[in-house]
Amino acid sequence: MDKPRVAKFKIGQVVRHRFYPFRGVVFDVDPTFSNTDEWYDSIPKEIRPSKDQPFYHLFAENAETEYVAYVSEQNLEADTSGDPIRHPQVDEVFERDETGEYHARRSELH
């Protein structure tokens, strides 16, 4: 098996989908596809991405709602709008600095 590629996007980075109107902040990365075959097979064959690339877990949003998305690297690009992400879980996981970048919150050990 080929060595997985290094992820192009990092935890906390805001990205947008290349073809669909949604954006989100990365909260986890899988080096290769790690979802169900049912999920994968539900993608139309003509736009189905390769499994041997990084896949990103996003706190995502579109004009109507917020949700969690799972997206292949080939279908993402950096979002440079500077607009905050409104997903309700973002503030639980990240802090947004004065430049608009998201950084993982430090969790206290007990």
Side-chain angles (χ1 to χ4, degrees):
M1 185 166 141
D2 291 335
K3 184 177 177 182
R5 294 192 322 231
V6 173
K8 179 178 179 180
F9 305 108
K10 63 182 182 171
I11 304 292
Q13 188 168 356
V14 179
V15 294
R16 63 184 176 152
H17 199 280
R18 288 183 184 275
F19 306 109
Y20 297 110
F22 73 87
R23 59 196 289 269
V25 61
V26 176
F27 70 87
D28 197 12
V29 182
D30 294 333
T32 58
F33 179 80
S34 186
N35 205 333
T36 66
D37 288 334
E38 179 181 66
W39 183 91
Y40 188 77
D41 292 342
S42 72
I43 301 168
K45 282 187 178 185
E46 59 276 6
I47 62 169
R48 194 175 295 159
S50 158
K51 289 183 176 183
D52 65 345
Q53 63 181 306
F55 276 73
Y56 298 83
H57 299 261
L58 310 176
F59 291 131
E61 64 186 31
N62 61 27
E64 293 83 35
T65 191
E66 300 83 35
Y67 53 97
V68 172
Y70 190 65
V71 187
S72 65
E73 186 170 273
Q74 75 186 51
N75 287 326
L76 291 175
E77 58 191 12
D79 180 301
T80 58
S81 70
D83 296 333
I85 299 294
R86 68 175 190 272
H87 192 287
Q89 288 179 280
V90 168
D91 290 338
E92 296 172 24
V93 178
F94 296 104
E95 293 176 320
R96 190 168 185 246
D97 69 19
E98 62 280 348
T99 68
E101 291 187 18
Y102 289 93
H103 304 278
R105 289 187 177 275
R106 293 178 186 248
S107 59
E108 300 297 323
L109 298 176
H110 297 281

